[in-house]
Amino acid sequence: MDDEYFELIAHEVTVEIKDEATGKVFRRELPIDYYENANILKLSGENLDGSVSQLVFYSSRGLERLKDLTGKGPDHDRCGGHSK
C-alpha cells in the first residue's frame, strides 16, 4: 500500500558529506529539529547563546501561498469559486 505523507518531523538529522580534498565520507548526527510539508522545509536548533535559530526554505507552492497571505499575490480568484 502506498501511503501519502503530508508532513515529516524529526528531532535529529544525519548529515553526510564527502570531503573534497580526501574523498572520504563523514556522517554526523545533529540535534536539529526538522519539519517538512508541501510548502516549507524548516530546520531549527540552538545558537551558541542557547537561543533558537531557524532556517526556512520555501517550495514554489509555499512561496506563492506566502505571497497570497501578505497581499502580494494575484488580484484574481485562482480556483474560480470565490468570484461574485
Side-chain angles (χ1 to χ4, degrees):
M1 182 172 161
D2 187 32
D3 293 327
E4 291 187 35
Y5 299 98
F6 295 104
E7 63 183 2
L8 301 173
I9 300 171
H11 299 292
E12 182 177 87
V13 299
T14 302
V15 176
E16 182 176 287
I17 62 120
K18 183 176 181 181
D19 182 61
E20 288 184 6
T22 64
K24 291 184 179 183
V25 175
F26 296 91
R27 292 177 62 127
R28 301 286 185 261
E29 292 182 1
L30 304 172
I32 296 174
D33 290 332
Y34 179 98
Y35 178 83
E36 179 182 0
N37 65 25
N39 300 314
I40 67 166
L41 166 63
K42 179 173 67 170
L43 303 173
S44 304
E46 289 185 359
N47 282 331
L48 290 175
D49 65 0
S51 63
V52 176
S53 183
Q54 296 181 341
L55 289 173
V56 178
F57 302 92
Y58 290 94
S59 66
S60 58
R61 175 183 166 185
L63 192 55
E64 290 303 314
R65 289 182 177 208
L66 182 64
K67 286 179 185 177
D68 288 345
L69 289 172
T70 59
K72 296 178 182 157
D75 290 332
H76 66 279
D77 177 15
R78 286 186 204 206
C79 65
H82 302 288
S83 300
K84 293 181 181 179

